[in-house]
Amino acid sequence: MSVQPIDVLYTAVATAEHGRDGRVATDDGKLDVVVNPPKEMGGSGAGTNPEQLFAAGYSACFQSALGVVARREKKDISGSTVTARVGLGKDADGGFGLTVALVGSIPGLDRRAALELMEKAHRVCPYSRATEGNIEVTLDVA
């Protein structure tokens, strides 16, 4: 797969101090959080962690992509939500890898129609496109 150039409309800038056990802040001051490893990984769990931040960003982006697809197809997704579950674990090479499960709740659509819309949103969402072939991403509806 070749990398396609894009016309950048916005650039987010964040700086981390002390990695997974420190602080992350954006250059505009809108996000400034303490990060700590979760208790499941031997950390204090006192702050947020990179996987929670990734889940928040992915779910928000995917919900927007769902809206784009729904508008194109003139489908009502009022009251819908998208939940991202980001897993972190060891891979076969002894390093770490991520998994993502995206679960959509779309009250106005039956299961089949909701899944079809999720699949189309998956082809539109920038996060989905960025993770394609790198991270296992599953789609489901609640």
Side-chain angles (χ1 to χ4, degrees):
M1 176 181 0
S2 64
V3 176
Q4 295 182 17
I6 63 169
D7 181 18
V8 176
L9 301 174
Y10 168 75
T11 300
V13 178
T15 302
E17 298 172 357
H18 307 291
R20 289 183 163 275
D21 207 0
R23 177 178 160 262
V24 175
T26 55
D27 64 336
D28 62 6
K30 292 181 180 178
L31 179 70
D32 189 341
V33 294
V34 171
V35 289
N36 299 115
K39 289 182 180 182
E40 295 84 349
M41 294 181 64
S44 70
T48 189
N49 59 67
E51 292 69 40
Q52 288 176 327
L53 295 170
F54 186 68
Y58 203 160
S59 62
C61 189
F62 197 90
Q63 175 73 29
S64 291
L66 196 63
V68 166
V69 172
R71 279 189 297 283
R72 283 183 192 160
E73 298 192 5
K74 297 182 180 8
K75 292 188 178 172
D76 182 10
I77 62 163
S78 298
S80 67
T81 61
V82 173
T83 300
R85 291 183 172 88
V86 175
L88 172 68
K90 293 225 176 189
D91 63 19
D93 297 329
F96 287 91
L98 298 173
T99 63
V100 177
L102 297 170
V103 180
S105 173
I106 309 171
L109 300 178
D110 64 34
R111 179 174 177 75
R112 182 175 176 198
L115 268 174
E116 285 177 8
L117 209 61
M118 292 275 293
E119 289 167 3
K120 289 175 182 176
H122 193 44
R123 291 190 292 270
V124 171
C125 175
Y127 275 63
S128 293
R129 293 175 57 157
T131 60
E132 184 178 5
N134 301 308
I135 296 175
E136 178 186 352
V137 178
T138 60
L139 306 175
D140 201 358
V141 292

